[in-house]
Amino acid sequence: MRWYATVFADIRFPVAIMLAVATVAALWQIPSFKYDEDPRTLYRSRDASYVELEALFANFGRDDLDCLIVLESEDFLTRSNIQVVRTMDARVNAIAGVQSVFSMLNVRRPLRVRSYYLPLIPPYDSASDSDLERARRNAVGHPLLGAGLLSEDRKVCVVVVRVKEDHASISDVASVVDRLRYVARDVTRGLPVRASVSGFPAVRLDHVRAMQTDQRMFNFLGVGLATLVAAILLRDLAAVFIVIVGPGLGVVWTVGLLAGLGEEINLLNVVIPPILIVIGLANAIHFLADFKRIRHTGVERVQATREAIRRVGPACALAALTTAIGFGSLALTDTDMIRNFGLAAAMGCLLVSVAVMTVVPLLTSSFLGEFIRWGRSPLDHDSPSLFSHWIRPIRAYASRISIVAITGTICMAMSVIGLTADSRLTEAMPRDEAG
């Protein structure tokens, strides 16, 4: 960092122009950073089981396109509830994007008239009581009904809705699932029947919508809490602005680069921006605190910035490098999503470090540096009372604390070895979602 500190004053303006170009390019790319619409991204990997799964999908079709309309009532083998299922079947079949509908109405008896197998459920509205009673007897032990179309007590009925393969994208699935939910509510309105929509497409849609909500919440809370912490520690408007802008631009560059590389937003990388804000904020506060100490001695702002780079820069760079290495180690996993998350987070750590060591010095050496005042922040004072009550016992019992820490680390490392991956889509769904 000595060479950078030495030439910093001479290259400020070219660096500022380069950073402005990089920021504009990143902002240009960010709108193309879309949500991942492939449901298999969560578990895609390079192991043999996934390759076998792909082969099965290619030969027999996908198993992630079935929606389930779950109906609950006292008895579905009554004339009124059979009519509910029949109406549901007709309405759902008319929805664009629906390939087929299968329910208890499609189940046949093992009785054939020429080439036609008679239906188990009477296919007409004016079925007699004897027809319904025969249907109840035939339903007992029927393999298709027992496989999940109708519960043994006849209180739960399932309608299986197959979505067309060309409607597998999340935008198309959203229109189908939303329409299914509307039809389910409309058909059962005012009736003693409760309806809900479930199945993989519905779960995936709720998952993506929850992720979109979480992204907005994470970004808002990340920036908001970072600003609050900076305000508490620095108590200076100009200083808070500087330490937030630096890491913030690093996050913008990271997201823009990910979008330019064709990455998409998923369950893991949605948390990268707030993580990078926290990492960058710590280094920016370290730099600014040292800058303020140097300025307090009477050094002008450009020279103070140069000296702060020389003193704090190597530590910030090393911290960013070790963090990036930690995230980068995730690239060794076989799961694509985790590997890409690790690489993206590692790249983001380096970009945020670059932002902190370029944007923050540029701002402190500009006219904004004149508005930063000494004495407003608890970090401005080198009084031993600030952290002495923590440091003194640690130094007095350093050997014992080190032994305990090393032992605890070894024990926790041994427990980590037994951990196994367990990914469940429902864990990413909001708790109040039905189905």
Side-chain angles (χ1 to χ4, degrees):
M1 283 292 176
R2 288 182 177 274
W3 65 270
Y4 178 52
T6 303
V7 302
F8 171 76
D10 300 325
I11 64 172
R12 281 191 301 163
F13 297 109
V15 168
I17 293 174
M18 292 173 58
L19 297 182
V21 171
T23 302
V24 171
L27 291 173
W28 181 268
Q29 290 289 341
I30 285 177
S32 64
F33 197 37
K34 305 297 184 181
Y35 289 91
D36 189 354
E37 297 194 351
D38 187 352
R40 288 171 286 180
T41 299
L42 184 63
Y43 51 86
R44 180 180 287 116
S45 66
R46 294 173 291 183
D47 59 16
S49 59
Y50 183 78
V51 174
E52 183 179 0
L53 178 64
E54 288 288 289
L56 288 173
F57 281 174
N59 293 327
F60 301 102
R62 296 167 57 170
D63 66 346
D64 54 4
L65 296 174
D66 291 335
C67 286
L68 306 177
I69 301 178
V70 182
L71 304 173
E72 299 176 68
S73 186
E74 285 301 315
D75 186 354
F76 274 98
L77 291 183
T78 61
R79 186 174 287 102
S80 58
N81 281 346
I82 290 175
Q83 182 59 37
V84 169
V85 178
R86 185 175 289 115
T87 304
M88 186 77 68
D89 188 293
R91 293 278 300 274
V92 169
N93 261 309
I95 297 176
V98 171
Q99 177 176 321
S100 62
V101 180
F102 192 84
S103 67
M104 66 179 188
L105 301 178
N106 302 97
V107 176
R108 303 292 171 174
R109 286 189 285 163
L111 179 61
R112 185 171 67 178
V113 177
R114 295 188 178 180
S115 61
Y116 180 72
Y117 283 91
L118 297 179
L120 178 68
I121 307 299
Y124 40 83
D125 298 337
S126 58
S128 64
D129 291 340
S130 60
D131 290 335
L132 293 177
E133 185 59 34
R134 183 176 60 249
R136 295 187 186 99
R137 291 196 305 270
N138 292 334
V140 178
H142 195 286
L144 281 180
L145 291 181
L149 293 178
L150 186 67
S151 63
E152 291 185 6
D153 57 6
R154 305 198 300 268
K155 292 184 177 182
V156 179
C157 174
V158 175
V159 179
V160 182
V161 182
R162 182 77 172 179
V163 179
K164 293 180 180 178
E165 287 206 28
D166 58 1
H167 281 65
S169 66
I170 196 63
S171 54
D172 291 330
V173 164
S175 63
V176 174
V177 172
D178 289 341
R179 187 64 183 169
L180 286 176
R181 286 172 172 162
Y182 170 78
V183 169
R185 290 194 303 268
D186 190 52
V187 170
T188 59
R189 185 177 290 115
L191 299 175
V193 180
R194 192 172 74 91
S196 59
V197 178
S198 185
F200 196 94
V203 170
R204 180 159 62 99
L205 176 61
D206 292 336
H207 167 210
V208 170
R209 286 176 172 171
M211 187 168 60
Q212 293 172 342
T213 302
D214 290 344
Q215 183 193 28
R216 291 189 290 268
M217 180 185 67
F218 288 151
N219 292 339
F220 175 78
L221 289 179
V223 175
L225 291 177
T227 304
L228 178 62
V229 170
I232 293 174
L233 291 176
L234 299 174
R235 301 178 186 176
D236 189 307
L237 184 60
V240 171
F241 174 79
I242 290 173
V243 299
I244 292 297
V245 168
L249 285 181
V251 171
V252 170
W253 300 344
T254 302
V255 175
L257 184 56
L258 289 176
L261 293 175
E263 284 294 312
E264 296 177 314
I265 304 173
N266 57 47
L267 181 63
L268 286 183
N269 63 24
V270 70
V271 302
I272 288 180
I275 289 176
L276 297 183
I277 283 287
V278 172
I279 294 173
L281 179 66
N283 288 336
I285 289 178
H286 283 310
F287 179 89
L288 196 71
D290 201 59
F291 169 81
K292 293 175 73 175
R293 292 190 187 97
I294 298 170
R295 283 280 286 163
H296 183 59
T297 63
V299 180
E300 59 91 22
R301 63 176 188 267
V302 176
Q303 183 59 34
T305 300
R306 180 183 295 172
E307 186 65 18
I309 293 174
R310 186 186 65 81
R311 291 169 50 170
V312 180
C316 292
L318 184 60
L321 180 62
T322 55
T323 306
I325 292 174
F327 280 121
S329 65
L330 297 176
L332 300 177
T333 184
D334 289 331
T335 305
D336 289 355
M337 180 183 287
I338 298 177
R339 181 171 63 254
N340 292 340
F341 166 78
L343 293 175
M347 178 185 67
C349 286
L350 298 178
L351 287 177
V352 167
S353 176
V354 171
V356 169
M357 298 313 300
T358 54
V359 176
V360 174
L362 283 173
L363 295 177
T364 56
S365 63
S366 70
F367 70 94
L368 288 175
E370 295 295 336
F371 294 95
I372 300 176
R373 296 291 181 264
W374 172 269
R376 298 180 181 180
S377 166
L379 300 178
D380 293 345
H381 306 284
D382 294 326
S383 170
S385 62
L386 185 59
F387 297 111
S388 60
H389 62 286
W390 292 99
I391 301 299
R392 191 177 295 113
I394 292 176
R395 297 180 63 180
Y397 302 100
S399 299
R400 298 176 184 178
I401 293 176
S402 298
I403 293 173
V404 172
I406 292 172
T407 304
T409 301
I410 293 173
C411 292
M412 287 185 284
M414 293 177 64
S415 67
V416 167
I417 296 175
L419 293 178
T420 57
D422 184 17
S423 299
R424 301 184 183 183
L425 282 177
T426 52
E427 292 178 351
M429 292 176 57
R431 292 186 178 91
D432 58 347
E433 281 293 341

